[in-house]
Amino acid sequence: MLNLLKAKLKNSLTLLLSLTLILGIATASLTPASYAALPAGNAITDGKALLRYALPIDNKPVRQLQASLEDISNQLRANKRWSAVSSDLKKASRLLDKPEKILASIPAERQSQAQTLIEQMKIGVTSLQELAAVKDKEKVKEKRIEVLNLVGELEQAMVTDFPYEVPSEYGNLAQLKGRATVTMKTSKGDLKMVLDGYSAPITAGNFVDLVKRGFYDGLEFTRSEESYVLQTGKPKDADGFIDPKTKKYRAVPFEVLVEGDKKPTYGTTLEEAGRYTDMPVLPFSSFGALALARPERDVNGGSSQFFFFLFEPELTPAGRNLLDGRYAIFGYLTEGQEVLDELKAGDKIISAKVVDGLENLQEPSA
C-alpha cells in the first residue's frame, strides 16, 4: 500500500497536496501551498548536524571543519567513495593543524577547554584516516560521529551571549535563551530531543515550560500519519494549555528564523510574507523534527500541541516539502528514532523531563 502511494506521489503533486494532514487544533489543516518557487536544495537530513549548523557563531574555519566531516556520510552513501572521504579528512587535518583562527572565537575562560577538544579531534581524525585506509565503513561512521560531537562542543563554546532581543510584547511568555535537552518515556520506549532556543526562543521556551510543569505526562499521541507526522499535546478538556494563573488559553506566536536573518520573524508565515525561496535555519528535513501544531486560520494560535515530523524522502523530499516556513520547528529528536518509528495514535507519553539546559529557561515577566 505504501509503495503504491509513493509511486503515485512521484507522478502527481496534486496527490501530495491532497494528503496534507490536519496538524493543528480542532478542524485545522495545512495551509494551501505556493510551491512553485520552493528550492530543491541538497538538504541536510541529520538532526544533530542541523543543530550544529544552527548555532549562532561566525567562524569560517570551524564551519569548514564541520562540513568536511559531515560530508563523509554523503560519500559513504554514494557507493563508498573512499577517495572523497580521504580528501575530506585531509582538509579536516589541515584545519586542526592550524587552530589559531578557530581559537580566535573562543572566550578566554574557555580556551583551555577548546584546546583540549582540538587535541581530541586531531586524534579522532587520525583514527578516521587509518580506518578509511582499510575501508572499514562501519567504524568510520562510528568514529565520525564521535569527532563531530567534539566539533559541536567546540562550536557551543564559541557562543557567549544570546544573539538578539526577543520583542518585548512576548515578555509574558516563557523563553529559552539557549538550548535544552528533554527525555521522554513513552509506552514504546524512550526519546531524547534537543530544543533550540537560539532559533525559536518562544516556541522552545513554551515547550520546556510545559515539560517542567509535567503537562505532557500521561497524554496520548492523538494522531499519526505513516511517513508524515505523529502528534500529541492535547489535554482532555481543552485544545491547549490553560494557564492556571490567568485561566486563559496560552497562545504562542508563530516564530521562524530564516537563514541570513539576525532574528526570527513573528506572527506571519514565510508564505504569507512572500518569502517562498527563503529557508528556515531549522528545516523539515530530518526524521524527528519537532514543531508546534496550530489552527489553519490562526497562525498565532499554537499552544501545547506539537508533532514529530516523520521525514520520508520519497513522500516529503528535503527542500521540497510543504511545511518549511509554515509551521514552527523548535528542535530535533537526537535519540530514539526506532522508538518514534513505532509510536502510533493511542500510545502514551509516560513522562517527560528536562535533563539539561533548564537554566536557560527565562520565566515570563509579571
Side-chain angles (χ1 to χ4, degrees):
M1 177 64 182
L2 182 57
N3 290 334
L4 177 62
L5 179 59
K6 289 180 181 178
K8 289 182 178 179
L9 285 175
K10 290 179 182 178
N11 298 320
S12 173
L13 182 58
T14 302
L15 180 56
L16 174 59
L17 293 173
S18 74
L19 289 176
T20 51
L21 166 69
I22 294 176
L23 291 175
I25 300 164
T27 59
S29 63
L30 284 177
T31 307
S34 297
Y35 55 83
L38 289 177
N42 184 21
I44 299 166
T45 59
D46 177 24
K48 289 184 178 180
L50 289 165
L51 287 163
R52 284 188 285 267
Y53 279 121
L55 282 168
I57 61 174
D58 184 17
N59 185 289
K60 186 175 179 180
V62 82
R63 288 306 196 196
Q64 291 175 330
L65 173 63
Q66 181 188 342
S68 65
L69 294 168
E70 303 281 9
D71 186 60
I72 291 173
S73 178
N74 297 327
Q75 304 306 335
L76 291 177
R77 283 197 301 269
N79 297 319
K80 304 177 185 177
R81 296 158 76 173
W82 292 107
S83 61
V85 171
S86 177
S87 177
D88 283 332
L89 290 171
K90 286 179 181 178
K91 182 176 182 179
S93 183
R94 287 195 299 270
L95 289 165
L96 289 170
D97 283 340
K98 297 180 179 180
E100 296 81 11
K101 291 183 179 180
I102 294 177
L103 291 170
S105 296
I106 303 290
E109 66 273 16
R110 300 175 187 169
Q111 283 284 324
S112 177
Q113 173 198 2
Q115 290 169 4
T116 298
L117 289 170
I118 288 174
E119 289 304 314
Q120 291 174 333
M121 280 185 271
K122 286 182 179 180
I123 295 171
V125 169
T126 298
S127 296
L128 276 169
Q129 290 174 317
E130 294 171 353
L131 293 169
V134 296
K135 300 182 179 180
D136 191 329
K137 180 179 177 180
E138 293 307 313
K139 289 187 178 179
V140 166
K141 289 167 65 176
E142 292 174 6
K143 180 58 69 172
R144 167 188 166 276
I145 291 172
E146 291 179 18
V147 179
L148 276 169
N149 286 339
L150 296 172
V151 174
E153 287 186 52
L154 183 66
E155 291 172 336
Q156 183 67 60
M158 294 179 178
V159 183
T160 53
D161 300 311
F162 194 75
Y164 54 85
E165 289 292 327
V166 175
S168 59
E169 62 191 280
Y170 303 127
N172 62 318
L173 298 171
Q175 299 175 19
L176 186 65
K177 296 296 186 69
R179 287 189 171 167
T181 302
V182 167
T183 58
M184 187 175 286
K185 291 185 178 297
T186 77
S187 52
K188 292 287 180 63
D190 297 345
L191 306 172
K192 178 182 278 190
M193 56 213 78
V194 173
L195 315 175
D196 186 16
Y198 295 121
S199 302
I202 296 175
T203 319
N206 173 68
F207 183 77
V208 171
D209 177 64
L210 293 177
V211 170
K212 179 184 174 185
R213 292 170 182 264
F215 176 85
Y216 293 108
D217 297 357
L219 292 187
E220 288 189 355
F221 292 95
T222 54
R223 191 176 192 89
S224 61
E225 295 290 334
E226 187 174 7
S227 300
Y228 207 12
V229 300
L230 176 73
Q231 185 170 329
T232 186
K234 184 184 185 307
K236 292 182 179 180
D237 54 354
D239 285 326
F241 175 66
I242 306 300
D243 192 318
K245 290 185 178 179
T246 64
K247 310 299 182 184
K248 295 181 180 180
Y249 176 92
R250 180 201 280 175
V252 178
F254 179 79
E255 176 180 51
V256 59
L257 178 63
V258 172
E259 291 179 356
D261 286 1
K262 293 184 178 180
K263 57 184 179 180
T265 292
Y266 290 97
T268 182
T269 68
L270 296 187
E271 181 183 25
E272 292 169 338
R275 302 180 68 175
Y276 302 115
T277 61
D278 290 347
M279 289 299 294
V281 170
L282 304 179
F284 283 95
S285 62
S286 177
F287 182 85
L290 288 97
L292 190 68
R294 61 170 177 81
E296 176 190 8
R297 301 186 184 282
D298 186 0
V299 70
N300 299 312
S303 181
S304 60
Q305 293 192 55
F306 70 95
F307 61 93
F308 291 98
F309 181 54
L310 308 180
F311 174 71
E312 210 294 329
E314 293 188 64
L315 291 177
T316 48
R320 289 188 182 273
N321 71 73
L322 306 178
L323 301 180
D324 282 326
R326 294 172 175 83
Y327 289 84
I329 289 185
F330 56 93
Y332 292 99
L333 185 76
T334 57
E335 293 181 21
Q337 285 82 355
E338 69 289 343
V339 174
L340 180 58
D341 202 34
E342 292 295 321
L343 286 166
K344 306 295 179 186
D347 289 327
K348 284 190 174 184
I349 298 172
I350 298 171
S351 65
K353 182 180 180 180
V354 183
V355 295
D356 187 51
L358 189 57
E359 69 279 4
N360 296 324
L361 182 66
Q362 178 178 299
E363 300 292 343
S365 57

